[in-house]
Amino acid sequence: MMLSLLKSLLRSAAILFLVSFAAFCLMFGNGTGTARAILGYQATEADVQRKVVDLGLDRPLLVQFGDWLVHAVTGNLGESFFTGQTVTSALSTRVPVTLTLIILTLIFTLILSVLLGVAAAVYGGWLDKVLQFISVLGAAVPPFIIAIALVFTFAISVRMFPATGYVSPDRSFTGWILSITLPVVALLIGSVASAASQFRGAVLDALSKDFVRTLRARGLKESHVVFRHVLRNAGGPGLTVLSLQTLGLLGGAIFVEQVMALPGMGQMTVQSAQQADVPMVMGSVVVTIIIVLCVNFLGDLANSVLNPKARTR
């Protein structure tokens, strides 16, 4: 098991390096555009070129990336080209908002998808058909469309929740709950639809195994068979799919934050990418990948606990 976890950590480090390098390559070569955006479009070409040199954007790609990487390893992600604010400081206020969305969505997704998936697999019938319909609908409708519909319904028409904005829990816990409910629900619908379908398939596969028939023949209660044995065997694939959804949730959170004006990391990333603010974009990429890798690592860890066969991989 320790060897498997070590391999997972090494893979995570390699993925973090490769994705960071790929993101840096995509940002490379736009030094003139960045300098002109900072100085304004009235700036002369000479001023723009001087700004490019001042920012160090005229250097070769590998030199720039190596310099960024050395500083990033020590925790220094640089400063914004536009505001002068350190990337770490900007992320410290933005990341908690996005993490709140993702963590709450994952928790409710796990609970609801397990309950719905098990119920659909065990009872079948109309419940199974409803789940399959919801799965197709949830996969077809993007989160920002759901967010807009929720805002019109529950914020504008009914006025149960605020349409935009975010209230920190230390300022008002009730306000925090109200401000975070609609964004979480917007992400939750599609996430539950996909994960519940996966849990349903995994439970159906486990129910067809010989050990289930043996347990039933021994007279064990159906609830004991399902929740003690079947769910443990089906939990591994379900958790793997759930952990892989993290990247999709982060992508959905970007649009939900834009629709509902939440001061999260997604909103900052979009703005920074439009301005070609390399330090801010790279900081957002690194944090995003770390979040995804951490969730996937925890998913692998839970899978190895539930499934002994996974420990030998």
Side-chain angles (χ1 to χ4, degrees):
M1 181 175 178
M2 291 301 297
L3 181 60
S4 176
L5 294 178
L6 180 60
K7 290 180 179 178
S8 180
L9 287 174
L10 292 176
R11 283 196 301 268
S12 298
I15 291 172
L16 180 60
F17 174 81
L18 291 175
V19 173
S20 299
F21 181 69
F24 205 93
C25 290
L26 292 174
M27 299 294 294
F28 179 75
N30 194 32
T32 302
T34 302
R36 188 168 291 280
I38 295 173
L39 296 175
Y41 289 94
Q42 302 299 323
T44 64
E45 190 64 29
D47 291 335
V48 170
Q49 291 302 321
R50 277 196 297 270
K51 191 64 177 179
V52 170
V53 175
D54 291 341
L55 295 174
L57 298 178
D58 60 322
R59 297 174 298 166
L61 170 64
L62 294 180
V63 175
Q64 289 189 46
F65 179 74
D67 183 58
W68 174 86
L69 184 62
V70 170
H71 288 88
V73 170
T74 62
N76 180 12
L77 295 174
E79 299 178 352
S80 169
F81 287 160
F82 290 83
T83 65
Q85 183 184 18
T86 63
V87 177
T88 304
S89 175
L91 289 173
S92 66
T93 60
R94 300 278 188 158
V95 171
V97 178
T98 302
L99 274 182
T100 299
L101 284 178
I102 301 303
I103 292 174
L104 288 177
T105 303
L106 285 175
I107 291 173
F108 285 112
T109 297
L110 178 61
I111 296 172
L112 293 176
S113 59
V114 168
L115 294 177
L116 292 174
V118 170
V122 173
Y123 297 107
W126 66 269
L127 185 60
D128 190 21
K129 293 179 181 179
V130 169
L131 177 61
Q132 294 184 50
F133 174 76
I134 294 175
S135 299
V136 174
L137 186 64
V141 182
F144 75 91
I145 296 293
I146 299 175
I148 293 174
L150 290 173
V151 168
F152 273 106
T153 303
F154 296 101
I156 297 177
S157 299
V158 183
R159 296 187 179 180
M160 292 176 58
F161 302 96
T164 58
Y166 176 80
V167 178
S168 60
D170 56 349
R171 179 181 171 187
S172 171
F173 184 76
T174 302
W176 174 71
I177 293 294
L178 292 175
S179 67
I180 208 71
T181 298
L182 292 185
V184 169
V185 172
L187 293 174
L188 187 64
I189 292 175
S191 180
V192 168
S194 176
S197 179
Q198 297 295 331
F199 272 103
R200 168 192 170 274
V203 171
L204 283 175
D205 181 64
L207 286 172
S208 65
K209 302 296 183 182
D210 292 335
F211 77 89
V212 174
R213 288 190 290 269
T214 302
L215 292 172
R216 286 170 173 168
R218 291 173 58 186
L220 271 69
K221 293 181 179 180
E222 187 67 15
S223 60
H224 183 85
V225 173
V226 171
F227 289 100
R228 183 73 180 271
H229 300 280
V230 172
L231 191 56
R232 178 166 185 171
N233 282 269
L239 288 174
T240 300
V241 171
L242 189 62
S243 64
L244 293 175
Q245 282 188 333
T246 308
L247 186 58
L249 288 176
L250 285 167
I254 292 177
F255 298 103
V256 171
E257 289 174 3
Q258 290 288 99
V259 170
M260 298 184 174
L262 298 179
M265 189 174 63
Q267 188 185 62
M268 185 190 75
T269 303
V270 171
Q271 182 179 358
S272 300
Q274 292 173 343
Q275 297 175 330
D277 194 343
V278 177
M280 283 293 189
V281 172
M282 291 303 300
S284 300
V285 168
V286 168
V287 172
T288 300
I289 298 304
I290 289 176
I291 292 173
V292 173
L293 292 176
C294 286
V295 173
N296 288 341
F297 178 77
L298 292 175
D300 291 340
L301 183 61
N303 191 22
S304 65
V305 173
L306 293 173
N307 183 11
K309 294 181 181 179
R311 301 174 192 173
T312 59
R313 294 177 185 175

